[in-house]
Amino acid sequence: MKQSFFLSLALGSGWLLCPESLVIAGNSAGQLGWLTLPLLAAVAILFVVCGKLLNNPLLPATDSKEFQILQGITGTIPATALTIAACMPLVVLAATALLVTSGYTFNEVFLYWFPNFGFSFLLLALLTILQFFPEKTIFRAQFCFVALAAGGLLVLALYGIVGGEKAVTDVLQQPVGFSSTSSALLFLLFVGNTLSGNRQTPSFLVPLAGFVIFFLWILVSLTYVSPERLASSTIPYMTAAKKIMGDPGRQIMGVVVISGTCAAITGLTLLSRHMLAKIATGKMTIGLLSEKAQRWFLPPLIALITGSLMATGLAGDELLEVLLRGALILWLLYYSFMCLSALICINKKSQPIFLPASICTLILLVSLFTLVISNPHTIEICIFIFSTLGISGLLAAIWFLINKKLNKQMEQTA
């Protein structure tokens, strides 16, 4: 097995196992019932097809291929703006929300006397320090985080299926309903699976892992908790864990929440470092976004912004949930546009377009539109998305001008 295989699995699975993903899965299951299971399979297949499209041999085979695909269709500045908008708001807002969730979980499940925010800031500091270590060390830590979170979910799911008193087949007798919003939300479970490592890795890797884990977890959640309660709960994962195994179940889920938080923040930070470094590889800038610069500059910046947001009370405000949903939609926009750009690039080379990839890209765009218009905070999300894209575009333009001037000075002194 190649290291890139495990690296892709660990990085891409980080967001899959975080508390926010468990909320999305639980709420969607409550809305859709057992219909969630075939829909989840369809979403996983869609990401497999899109991953295969992005690994097409007609596309660039370099480490910065994702940026080059966008750059070839949109130009340097729009590609840079979309890349910045897709990664930076997501890692900061996700870190803020997940760290606070972990703080409350640690306080309520393990140590009542330990301050909620004290644990959140402590975890933020430790995860920031981790980013200063060599990438090989970060990868090992990430693999441990993912293994703990996935292992905990699988233990709870298998215990509920095999050792529980209820038959999981009873789920099929429950009433089902269809919701386009809940169906579209399932796409947000696979955020961050774009990183493929230094070599091409199987496109089915992360979607398959996500499908297996969530299939079992959703099945057992519907078995032990009523759909109505899953749909309305803000912590459906903890409700299900307690129903399945009592207090030991809560403790296992506490480990899952904290490990999943660490996996998501570590994975998204590394993903952001790679995405921004790819801009440098694409000759957008000289050294400013190199891998070395990312290691020492980006983690403290993310920690500073995240700590400020937690200190100012955003973590306890409904606005954070709205902004995080907007950041997730921005990532889906980036992924959808990258797939669309890949299709255009292949078509320009007079090659037949792969029909399943075209259909999957269209479904991505429809889901993106659905998530925006069906959200009760549509106006706020639209303002956030357009503001983020505008600011990112301005930064990209300034960046481009500085880089152009530096290149000219280097040519003159050469």
Side-chain angles (χ1 to χ4, degrees), residues 14 71 74 87 127 207 213 230 241 385:
Q71 188 182 30
T74 65
C87 65
L127 293 176
I213 292 171
L230 283 175
I385 290 174

Side-chain angles (χ1 to χ4, degrees), residues 8 47-62 65-66 69 193-205 335 338-339 342 346:
S8 297
F47 276 97
V48 170
V49 174
C50 289
K52 187 176 180 181
L53 168 66
L54 296 176
N55 282 330
N56 191 293
L58 294 173
L59 298 174
T62 61
K65 66 179 180 181
E66 294 169 5
I69 291 171
N193 72 340
T194 56
L195 185 63
S196 59
N198 295 327
R199 301 179 179 86
Q200 289 187 349
T201 50
S203 59
F204 63 82
L205 194 59
Y335 192 82
M338 189 164 56
C339 292
I346 293 172

Side-chain angles (χ1 to χ4, degrees), residues 143-301:
F143 196 82
C144 291
F145 297 149
V146 169
L148 277 173
L153 279 177
L154 290 174
V155 165
L156 287 169
L158 293 176
Y159 180 87
I161 293 172
V162 178
E165 299 177 355
K166 299 185 179 182
V168 294
T169 53
D170 293 344
V171 171
L172 299 177
Q173 300 174 5
Q174 296 177 358
V176 298
F178 180 77
S179 167
S180 58
T181 304
S182 297
S183 302
L185 282 174
L186 294 176
F187 286 85
L188 300 181
L189 295 177
F190 296 94
V191 165
N193 72 340
T194 56
L195 185 63
S196 59
N198 295 327
R199 301 179 179 86
Q200 289 187 349
T201 50
S203 59
F204 63 82
L205 194 59
V206 175
L208 177 61
F211 170 72
V212 171
I213 292 171
F214 277 109
F215 181 92
L216 295 173
W217 179 245
I218 289 172
L219 183 64
V220 78
S221 295
L222 286 170
T223 303
Y224 284 83
V225 184
S226 66
E228 294 79 13
R229 190 169 181 185
L230 283 175
S232 60
S233 177
T234 56
I235 49 171
Y237 50 87
M238 195 62 74
T239 303
K242 188 174 181 180
K243 288 281 187 180
I244 294 168
M245 204 184 284
D247 283 335
R250 287 179 69 249
Q251 294 170 352
I252 292 174
M253 184 53 69
V255 173
V256 171
V257 168
I258 295 171
S259 300
T261 294
C262 294
I265 294 174
T266 302
L268 289 176
T269 303
L270 271 178
L271 182 61
S272 297
R273 286 171 52 178
H274 279 262
M275 288 172 69
L276 294 177
K278 286 172 184 178
I279 300 175
T281 307
K283 298 181 180 178
M284 173 64 182
T285 184
I286 303 173
L288 184 61
L289 287 180
S290 64
E291 291 281 359
K292 187 176 181 180
Q294 294 305 317
R295 178 180 172 186
W296 300 107
F297 172 72
L298 191 62
L301 178 63

Side-chain angles (χ1 to χ4, degrees), residues 325-352:
R325 186 58 52 83
L328 291 168
I329 292 173
L330 267 173
W331 177 87
L332 190 60
L333 173 66
Y334 164 81
Y335 192 82
S336 303
F337 205 80
M338 189 164 56
C339 292
L340 182 61
S341 299
L343 288 173
I344 295 172
C345 183
I346 293 172
N347 187 46
K348 280 185 175 181
K349 296 182 179 180
S350 301
Q351 296 293 326

